[in-house]
Amino acid sequence: MKVAPARINHLSIAALATLLLHIFPLSLSFTPPHRGGCRLFLDTADTNEWDALLPRGMFYGVTTNPTLLERANEPCTVENLHKLASKALQYTDEFMCQSWGATADDLFQTGMAISEYDRERVVIKVPVTATGAEAASKLTKAGVRICFTACYNKKQALIAASSGVEYIAPYLGRITDNGKDGYDECRQMQNIVDGLGSGTRILVASLRDADTIAKLAMEGLDTFTFNPDVAREIFDEPLTDNAAEEFEEAAARGSTSN
């Protein structure tokens, strides 16, 4: 007995496709083939800034913390972080957000809940304290990617490297505010992880100008997070703007000439 081939209902397929796109929106994330080891992160929880700056294509990811969430009037909840991760990961490869809790177990449980959204692309930040290190150890064993944060001393790079976490974030500007040379501390942290043969990345944070990023990149550091003002400063070059305007004017003249 032959079974008649099933007829394809094109209307139903179209409706299903629309539904799937609504549930699983297409990602705009794309890693350029010649980016190399460079990883630049946009340090803000303001989604309007994400919309303005992430399409420029230079950012590997977004970093946030409870302070940035508060400034952006974003709730510091697991549910809201999942919503933010969904948006950020449409543009970028990684979303970093910070766990919270008074004990190592609290930090662990919150980190597990946040990272459940996407263990491959969500990175959990924990302070580089004894409590944070204990939580990070448990999270790492559970397959969660970790960034030690609130780093103020080059010796803390030893903790990150020996713990095997992926990132440690020294606060360059704040280190300098507290009487040390933040630039030199970050440079020495890079030397420490390199000397130990560690794959931990020095994620330089608390950056206040684009020139400092360029100088650190010349020293071999390749991972930075900075606020929207610094992101715009990187593009601020009047000579380039003038040249681009001249090109457009020449193109306009050329398009109307016989």
Side-chain angles (χ1 to χ4, degrees):
M1 175 180 174
K2 288 186 177 182
V3 179
R7 290 189 175 182
I8 299 175
N9 187 328
H10 295 286
L11 208 56
S12 298
I13 291 176
L16 178 60
T18 301
L19 178 61
L20 289 173
L21 283 174
H22 179 73
I23 299 172
F24 305 107
L26 287 176
S27 174
L28 302 178
S29 172
F30 170 73
T31 303
H34 303 296
R35 178 177 278 168
C38 174
R39 293 187 184 181
L40 303 183
F41 293 83
L42 185 61
D43 195 32
T44 182
D46 185 339
T47 57
N48 291 323
E49 294 287 20
W50 294 2
D51 290 335
L53 293 168
L54 294 181
R56 298 186 183 190
M58 64 185 289
F59 290 102
Y60 186 81
V62 169
T63 56
T64 67
N65 60 41
T67 302
L68 293 177
L69 290 169
E70 185 175 41
R71 288 177 188 168
N73 294 315
E74 291 284 354
C76 187
T77 65
V78 171
E79 180 182 10
N80 190 51
L81 285 171
H82 285 178
K83 290 180 181 178
L84 292 175
S86 175
K87 182 176 179 66
L89 293 174
Q90 290 182 48
Y91 290 104
T92 66
D93 292 293
E94 286 184 11
F95 179 66
M96 285 199 197
C97 48
Q98 192 160 327
S99 186
W100 60 86
T103 67
D105 188 59
D106 290 340
L107 286 169
F108 170 74
Q109 295 295 341
T110 305
M112 289 295 291
I114 298 170
S115 64
E116 186 178 11
Y117 179 82
D118 187 336
R119 292 266 157 77
E120 292 185 1
R121 302 176 70 194
V122 172
V123 179
I124 299 299
K125 300 163 70 176
V126 295
V128 59
T129 60
T131 301
E134 183 179 339
S137 177
K138 295 173 66 177
L139 287 165
T140 300
K141 291 174 183 176
V144 177
R145 300 171 65 194
I146 297 296
C147 173
F148 276 140
T149 192
C151 173
Y152 282 85
N153 193 302
K154 58 181 173 290
K155 67 184 181 182
Q156 292 171 313
L158 297 169
I159 302 172
S162 60
S163 299
V165 301
E166 190 166 350
Y167 299 93
I168 183 168
Y171 290 176
L172 186 151
R174 295 187 189 181
I175 292 171
T176 300
D177 292 343
N178 282 275
K180 292 193 290 186
D181 185 338
Y183 182 96
D184 195 52
E185 285 289 308
C186 292
R187 186 179 59 80
Q188 291 186 60
M189 287 181 206
Q190 186 67 59
N191 290 339
I192 288 170
V193 297
D194 288 345
L196 294 173
S198 168
T200 297
R201 285 178 174 267
I202 306 301
L203 172 61
V204 185
S206 187
L207 288 157
R208 295 167 183 171
D209 61 83
D211 283 347
T212 298
I213 300 172
K215 291 175 182 176
L216 284 170
M218 291 171 64
E219 298 274 6
L221 286 90
D222 60 8
T223 308
F224 307 94
T225 185
F226 43 88
N227 64 39
D229 289 340
V230 174
R232 290 186 172 89
E233 184 187 341
I234 291 177
F235 284 92
D236 184 16
E237 178 45 66
L239 294 175
T240 300
D241 293 339
N242 291 338
E245 185 176 345
E246 290 174 4
F247 295 148
E248 289 302 313
E249 290 171 353
R253 291 192 298 270
S255 66
T256 58
S257 62
N258 294 326

